[in-house]
Amino acid sequence: MEKSINLTLKVWRQASPTAKGKFETYSLKNISTDASFLEMMDILNEQLVKEHKEPVAFDHDCREGICGMCSLYINGHPHGPDGEITTCQLHMRNFHDGQTITIEPWRSAAFPVIKDLVVDRGAFDKIIQAGGFVSVNTGGVPDGNAIPIPKDKADEAMDAASCIGCGACVAACKNGSAMLFLSAKVSQLALLPQGKVEAARRAKAMVAKMDELGFGNCTNTGACEAECPKNVSLSNIARLNREFLKAKFKD
Ligand code: SF4
Ligand code: FES
């Protein structure tokens, strides 16, 4: 049943990448528990505009859990307290009347803040550009069953491909490691015949780019898997390590 709740928001405000940021406190009244978290942020911004104040900058696009844009760190969790969902799928029924909600941007050296809650995740694009693709000529579109792929391999590749590049794994990691993201991108190709041809070169180039961009080392804490909205498995990191070692042996 729909209910209304009153909230106190502590929101990170930062005017520019070089400005000193700080938390601002706002009160919101009569928020429907059926509202999504981003709708609640829209209501906050409408309130700020009416008060002739600068609205809060935050990223969003699809609002369907697909694009990975809605990167908010809510009460100490990337994408908030509910498991296996993105911020845009989080609803206000997960909060209670009178609660204080702290909202921060992703905190990672590799994801600098652009403004308020918006961070630059261009480092992920650079990792993909280093090798997250198939560049060999695979010819025309083959018949559906011309390349037999075992069902378990197809399933594992699809699971890895469910990574939406949101960056929650980096934000959750005390080392700021991008290994879960990178391993998903390597795995989705390494598991399929079309991706195997360049697997060694791909793993080496993407790992080198990740290191160059200032992401931290993986120390297997598992925080990334626990906070990933798409349930991307740590087993992908083990696969990435195997692919990387194979590439080194080939050298
Ligand atoms: S592995 Fe999960 S948390 Fe990391 S970028 Fe992909 S979807 Fe987001
Ligand atoms: S806005 Fe696209 S995943 Fe949340």
Side-chain angles (χ1 to χ4, degrees):
M1 196 174 68
E2 186 186 341
K3 271 197 327 188
S4 289
I5 54 175
N6 299 331
L7 298 164
T8 302
L9 303 183
K10 285 177 70 181
V11 184
W12 184 258
R13 303 300 311 259
Q14 184 172 332
S16 71
T18 50
K20 195 168 180 301
K22 66 173 175 19
F23 284 104
E24 296 273 355
T25 304
Y26 306 105
S27 289
L28 275 187
K29 302 238 175 293
N30 297 324
I31 298 298
S32 165
T33 49
D34 285 345
S36 74
F37 198 87
L38 295 187
E39 284 167 345
M40 182 276 295
M41 294 296 291
D42 293 336
I43 294 167
L44 168 67
N45 277 346
E46 280 166 20
Q47 184 173 306
L48 290 175
V49 169
K50 275 190 202 141
E51 293 167 359
H52 305 289
K53 291 181 182 154
E54 176 90 7
V56 179
F58 62 95
D59 258 336
H60 59 96
D61 191 0
C62 70
R63 297 200 177 203
E64 293 182 343
I66 299 167
C67 72
M69 290 294 286
C70 52
S71 44
L72 299 184
Y73 201 85
I74 303 160
N75 282 354
H77 293 278
H79 296 299
D82 210 0
E84 295 178 31
I85 56 166
T86 52
T87 298
C88 58
Q89 297 172 302
L90 179 66
H91 278 78
M92 297 314 295
R93 65 183 77 97
N94 288 285
F95 301 90
H96 60 77
D97 189 37
Q99 188 169 355
T100 298
I101 306 176
T102 305
I103 309 167
E104 300 169 74
W106 282 178
R107 305 249 187 224
S108 165
F111 293 157
V113 172
I114 297 172
K115 187 176 180 183
D116 296 337
L117 304 171
V118 178
V119 299
D120 179 358
R121 281 171 302 159
F124 269 8
D125 297 332
K126 290 185 184 138
I127 292 175
I128 296 293
Q129 283 158 8
F133 47 80
V134 172
S135 63
V136 291
N137 185 357
T138 52
V141 180
D143 182 73
N145 296 319
I147 306 175
I149 298 168
K151 169 91 169 72
D152 58 332
K153 292 287 169 239
D155 286 349
E156 282 179 86
M158 281 302 288
D159 287 347
S162 67
C163 167
I164 54 174
C166 65
C169 45
V170 177
C173 177
K174 68 182 170 109
N175 308 317
S177 170
M179 281 292 271
L180 194 63
F181 162 78
L182 173 52
S183 67
K185 298 304 173 193
V186 163
S187 292
Q188 70 184 19
L189 299 173
L191 283 158
L192 300 176
Q194 297 92 330
K196 279 201 194 301
V197 184
E198 295 167 294
R201 189 195 61 76
R202 177 181 307 114
K204 270 193 309 181
M206 291 176 79
V207 168
K209 183 55 79 175
M210 175 181 70
D211 291 343
E212 178 195 317
L213 292 167
F215 291 100
N217 292 324
C218 173
T219 52
N220 293 311
T221 65
C224 52
E225 184 188 62
E227 298 285 9
C228 172
K230 298 296 168 184
N231 212 11
V232 171
S233 164
L234 282 178
S235 63
N236 288 296
I237 296 184
R239 183 176 300 105
L240 168 62
N241 287 335
R242 287 197 297 276
E243 291 296 330
F244 186 76
L245 280 176
K246 269 196 263 173
K248 286 284 172 195
F249 277 128
K250 271 191 185 165
D251 283 352

